Amino acid sequence: MFEATYPKEKRRIGEIAIVGPKGSAKQPFIQSICQDVIITDQDIIFGSLKISSDLFLFLYGIGTNGRAYDFAWDLVAQKILGYIVLFDWYDEQSFKRSKQLLDFLTFRFDAPVIIAADVRDRPYPVNEKIYRPNISLTAKDRLTFCRSDDTKSTKRVVVSLLDTLIGQLP
């Protein structure tokens, strides 16, 4: 896995899961902000992001291939700060599968969720009426648009998730 060259007594780790249906750009998303990326043959991608000398974020790209129940969610969920549901904005099937995944995550787990509509290299959509009636968001969920291969864009999504976590602090 990752070569841990960080002092163990100072290391703080946060873990975020980037999930999405088949064809969602989890790998480019993680590679755009992580220098160390490992790709497995199980449709799982690992990335690490150094925030400071004693704080690291681990990003896990988890593919579902339409079968969210086939993954060991209960093991992962114990340590996850939150979830980013990534889907291709211009692919209707990707949108439908991401809604199912969103329902699954929000029903089973208490962590915040950011829904990231990936526009890739196309222009950002601006018409709110396109998505408003089709996505049910709770108070801790947010919808944002991004470009999966653009560092600034993917960082904004991760920061949005972290902001949501901070907003939930007592």
Side-chain angles (χ1 to χ4, degrees), residues 19 62-75 97 99-109:
V19 297
I62 303 169
T64 62
N65 291 328
R67 299 179 313 269
Y69 301 103
D70 290 349
F71 189 77
W73 290 107
D74 292 330
L75 295 175
R97 289 186 187 114
K99 287 184 357 182
Q100 293 168 345
L101 187 54
L102 175 65
D103 290 343
F104 171 77
L105 292 172
T106 55
F107 178 74
R108 293 225 16 216
F109 308 110

Side-chain angles (χ1 to χ4, degrees), residues 14-91:
E15 299 178 356
I16 296 173
I18 292 89
V19 297
K22 185 175 183 172
S24 61
K26 296 175 295 293
Q27 182 176 340
F29 186 97
I30 292 173
Q31 287 177 322
S32 73
I33 56 175
C34 296
Q35 288 184 331
D36 299 322
V37 176
I38 297 172
I39 302 163
T40 73
D41 61 351
Q42 304 296 320
D43 201 14
I44 298 174
I45 304 154
F46 299 99
S48 65
L49 176 61
K50 183 178 180 179
I51 304 298
S52 67
S53 62
D54 63 343
L55 178 60
F56 299 88
L57 282 180
F58 287 172
L59 280 69
Y60 305 118
I62 303 169
T64 62
N65 291 328
R67 299 179 313 269
Y69 301 103
D70 290 349
F71 189 77
W73 290 107
D74 292 330
L75 295 175
V76 173
Q78 296 173 16
K79 301 189 297 183
I80 293 293
L81 296 174
Y83 300 91
I84 296 170
V85 176
L86 182 67
F87 72 97
D88 182 348
W89 175 254
Y90 294 101
D91 180 346

